[in-house]
Amino acid sequence: MQYTIAIDLGGTVIKIGLLKEGCLIDRKEIVARSASGLKPQLPELKGAIDEILTFNRITQTDVLGIGFSFAGLVDSVQSRILSTNQKYDDGPETDLVGWAQGKWNLPLFAMNDARMALLGEWQHGAGKGCSDLVAITLGTGIGSAVLIGGELLIGKHFQAGNLGGHFVVNHKGTVCTCGNIGCVEAEASTWRLPSLLKEHPGFADSTMKNEEVLDFRALFYYAKNNDKVAKEVLDHCLSAWAAGIITMIHAFDPEMIILSGGIMKSSEIILPALQEKVNQLAWTPWGKVKLVEAKYPDSAALYGADYLVRSSMKSME
């Protein structure tokens, strides 16, 4: 049993990988319909997995298990989804372990997606060789995960280290999707950006006013071309991200912060700006926390799922 199946259930794309001894040898993507729920996607997900196995001439007896990455709070002991946030809201009532057992007679191990990506980067990517890490995903939402002394921070209720995107950085700020006020995610994320721009008093006079899609690609473009509103909103976002990162540094004492997510496509601007703010403002008398870009931003969770399956099966021997 040399192979593992890895599933990364994203909000817009579901990634399925076939791995052999830590190497990603095949992958497939299907469109996610997260608003419709998880159960309606399971037949399509099964079909995609069966296609990968058939194409690679692999039977289920060659597979060690399935690693399942989910964008929400996950009980990683029972491999059960605990809580969602406007994605796959039927997740908590979906029996993933029973599904995998019934379809392939395979064990399934589930984990929060940020933790799964951290495992992948720790084993194969930017965090290799480092035992104290924080991983942060900047995208539609903002996720986080923490590794301390080579062990994932989990917590009694499976949410320790996962809610860095919901650290409050503006107690008089915007209501977040989680219900709190002024979270990092509510101040600077993809879902928040359009309203953040439109609320700016100078937006009506901005060169961005006729832009059809107000996303971070547009923000960085207009800021580079000296649009005043874009530059001010970008500075606001950088300050919010830095505040969240510094809070995580103070809380978890990492040696390194790994940043990934769609927003990091502009890493050449983001990384130096955030590193400067962290160097100035974080209280770390031992030295400076290094900020790095993820090595595998598109597949770290697949590598992490492989590691989770192998380490979980080994601990059961």
Side-chain angles (χ1 to χ4, degrees), residues 174 192-209 214 219 226-237:
T174 301
R192 170 67 172 128
L193 183 60
S195 56
L196 194 64
L197 285 163
K198 291 175 183 178
E199 290 166 8
H200 191 288
F203 183 72
D205 299 319
S206 168
T207 54
M208 292 191 73
K209 65 182 179 181
L214 294 173
L219 181 70
N226 292 315
D227 181 274
K228 183 175 182 293
V229 172
K231 290 174 71 173
E232 290 181 1
V233 169
L234 176 56
D235 185 63
H236 169 87
C237 291

Side-chain angles (χ1 to χ4, degrees), residues 148-159:
I148 298 178
E151 298 287 340
L152 278 175
L153 185 63
I154 302 292
K156 182 177 181 179
H157 304 106
F158 303 97
Q159 63 185 61

Side-chain angles (χ1 to χ4, degrees), residues 1-4 19-25 124 306 310:
M1 294 187 292
Q2 299 175 312
Y3 299 91
T4 60
L19 294 98
K20 180 180 180 181
E21 298 174 352
C23 295
L24 183 61
I25 60 174
H124 300 283
D306 172 74
R310 294 183 183 281

Side-chain angles (χ1 to χ4, degrees), residues 267-285:
S267 61
E268 72 282 357
I269 298 172
I270 295 172
L271 270 179
L274 291 182
Q275 186 72 69
E276 183 179 359
K277 289 178 181 291
V278 167
N279 289 350
Q280 290 175 350
L281 302 173
W283 188 6
T284 53

Side-chain angles (χ1 to χ4, degrees), residues 57-75:
R57 298 180 180 178
I58 295 168
T59 67
Q60 62 195 54
T61 57
D62 298 318
V63 179
L64 189 62
I66 299 173
F68 195 98
S69 170
F70 184 78
L73 294 179
V74 176
D75 177 340

